Amino acid sequence: MAAATAGGPARPVPPADKRKSVTGTRKVVAAGFLLPALVLLGALVVYPIGYSFYRSFFDQPGTGFAGLDNYVEIFTDDTILTAVKNNAIWVVVAPTVSTALGLIFAVLTERIRWGTAFKLVVFMPMAISMLAAGIIFRLVYEQDPERGVANAVWVGVHDTFSESAGFPQAHPLPVHPLKAGGGGSFVTKEPVTAGETVQLPLVGVAPAKMPSDAEPAKAPLAEPGEITGTAWLDFTRGGGGKPNTVDPKELGLKGIKVEAVKDGKVVAEARAGADGRFTLPDSADGALLRLPAENFREPYNGVNWLGPNLVTPAIIGSYVWMWAGFAMVLIAAGLASVPRELLEAARVDGANEWQVFRKVTVPLLAPVLAVVLVTLMINVLKIFDLVFIIAPGSAQDDANVLALQLYRSSFGTDANLGLGSAIAVLLLLLVLPVMFFNIRRMRKEAGR
């Protein structure tokens, strides 16, 4: 077979199996180079997917055909349903918040002098592994304000606006002139009389937990027509003190609230000074003195970030901390290619900065925002590390996600590989639509 050429003799056409491709390489040679990659692809991707799909139709030992039982269990088991619900929350919240923050950071850093340094700081968490980030945020969310940064800040803000109790767990001894008054309060065993003094000793407060400005307690001085008293910590460091006696080394319970109660009504109240002394008017004559429960409630220890209600939002917060920098860098690269004349034209036409951002900048960045959003959606569908590390054992069922449930179902003493394979297939089915959307979008971009 020959092919004619303009102004020359016919040229023979090689057989189909010896034709060269556009790049000048024979198809057989090209197939030879592709074969190792195809073998690896089949061994590492195609075969595991196919075997997982096959295994999902068998029971726990893998010897009996279970049909769709494993898939039915996914949507009937409460623990797995929680994982599905949490995955939905992750897919909606985490990529959206990360992309929005990345967009805001990218736009704002263009207007500040140290924009590059700011981008470096925001992007730096990407250099940290998920394992390290999980350990960091497990400490950040510690319940104890002395260890957890989040609660240290939260308690500091709370105590600024709300006075905390000064003497939690304080209580009287049986030999003291006080008894339990119900609801966590303590009352005097006998009514008080004007012109007399009252002693209100307590124990159970560690000296280190006493107010820093508390002074050595002083015995009360009788005043005509008034009721005077002293509330103090009846404990001498090193021993040697006497019960119900104000000793020189014992401290006053500064700020403790004292109420005079008659017939169930508060007729007078006072707070002890730094040396523990307080004074009540003659209206308290014949009343019982009460130390209300507000003096003894536990101090505010902040929010239980890793409790059942907040564990998922808390972990999403750590994810956003890591990935907002990734979104910012990609969006900033797209922002650098936006024609500045379009932005200036909008400003000349009278648009304010918000209108320029909403109607010009964001539409022009739509392709980049789609890339970031889709990438993060695929990423959170298989989130595992942060949830496994940050969520404590008591809250792991509440923070459960599909990837974690896949691990828990497939490994351990009570492993069910059939259920684990079904969860893996479900994850694949959830990822596929997002991947197809991304491929379709890239083809559209390439065809422009």
Side-chain angles (χ1 to χ4, degrees), residues 69-433:
D69 290 351
N70 291 321
Y71 292 95
V72 171
E73 185 173 352
I74 291 177
F75 297 100
T76 54
D77 185 90
D78 290 339
T79 302
I80 304 178
L81 279 176
T82 300
V84 174
K85 180 193 72 174
N86 286 340
N87 257 102
I89 295 173
W90 271 90
V91 170
V92 172
V93 176
T96 304
V97 175
S98 298
T99 304
L101 284 177
L103 175 61
I104 293 171
F105 290 156
V107 172
L108 294 181
T109 49
E110 281 205 332
R111 299 174 174 272
I112 62 176
R113 183 176 181 183
W114 300 98
T116 303
F118 180 82
K119 290 178 183 177
L120 178 63
V121 172
V122 176
F123 186 74
M124 196 175 295
M126 282 295 298
I128 303 174
S129 68
M130 287 280 196
L131 173 64
I135 294 173
I136 290 171
F137 275 88
R138 181 63 182 269
L139 294 175
V140 167
Y141 292 134
E142 273 284 347
Q143 179 71 41
D144 186 355
E146 295 183 359
R147 296 181 61 192
V149 176
N151 268 341
V153 174
W154 193 267
V155 170
V157 173
H158 174 273
D159 289 350
T160 301
F161 299 99
S162 178
E163 185 178 1
S164 60
F167 311 102
Q169 300 180 354
H171 60 277
L173 291 175
V175 297
H176 287 170
L178 289 166
K179 64 179 181 179
S185 66
F186 300 102
V187 298
T188 54
K189 296 176 181 178
E190 301 293 338
V192 296
T193 304
E196 295 183 354
T197 61
V198 183
Q199 294 183 332
L200 304 178
L202 293 175
V203 294
V205 182
K209 297 293 185 180
M210 290 288 289
S212 58
D213 53 352
E215 299 177 359
K218 294 181 181 179
L221 300 175
E223 296 289 344
E226 295 180 335
I227 297 170
T228 57
T230 299
W232 81 99
L233 179 63
D234 195 11
F235 172 80
T236 303
R237 301 182 74 171
K242 296 181 180 180
N244 297 334
T245 301
V246 178
D247 296 303
K249 294 183 180 180
E250 295 173 349
L251 298 176
L253 298 174
K254 179 189 176 183
I256 196 167
K257 187 177 181 180
V258 182
E259 296 176 339
V261 181
K262 283 183 180 180
D263 300 324
K265 296 181 180 180
V266 177
V267 295
E269 63 179 43
R271 286 192 179 272
D275 58 4
R277 292 192 291 187
F278 61 90
T279 302
L280 291 167
D282 58 359
S283 59
D285 183 49
L288 292 173
L289 298 191
R290 180 174 65 187
L291 301 177
E294 65 184 76
N295 293 312
F296 312 111
R297 68 175 183 268
E298 290 292 332
Y300 182 69
N301 283 323
V303 177
N304 187 9
W305 299 103
L306 300 182
N309 297 324
L310 291 178
V311 62
T312 294
I315 300 173
I316 290 176
S318 66
Y319 179 89
V320 171
W321 176 77
M322 288 192 67
W323 288 87
F326 167 82
M328 178 197 65
V329 169
L330 292 187
I331 295 171
L335 191 61
S337 63
V338 172
R340 291 298 182 267
E341 55 269 18
L342 295 179
L343 304 180
E344 294 302 326
R347 294 187 182 101
V348 169
D349 288 342
N352 56 38
E353 291 301 320
W354 169 245
Q355 291 172 326
V356 171
F357 172 76
R358 184 166 57 91
K359 296 187 176 181
V360 181
T361 304
V362 172
L364 290 175
L365 288 176
V368 179
L369 295 176
V371 170
V372 174
L373 197 61
V374 170
T375 302
L376 295 180
M377 287 176 68
I378 295 174
N379 187 271
V380 300
L381 277 171
K382 50 190 180 66
I383 191 70
F384 167 80
D385 318 60
L386 290 177
V387 180
F388 183 72
I389 297 167
I390 296 177
S394 59
Q396 206 164 78
D397 284 346
D398 300 287
N400 200 16
V401 289
L402 285 173
L404 177 59
Q405 185 60 42
L406 170 61
Y407 170 80
R408 296 168 70 180
S409 298
S410 302
F411 302 97
T413 56
D414 195 29
N416 186 344
L417 294 180
L419 179 60
S421 299
I423 296 173
V425 172
L426 176 62
L427 269 175
L428 176 65
L429 294 177
L430 292 175
V431 171
L432 284 179

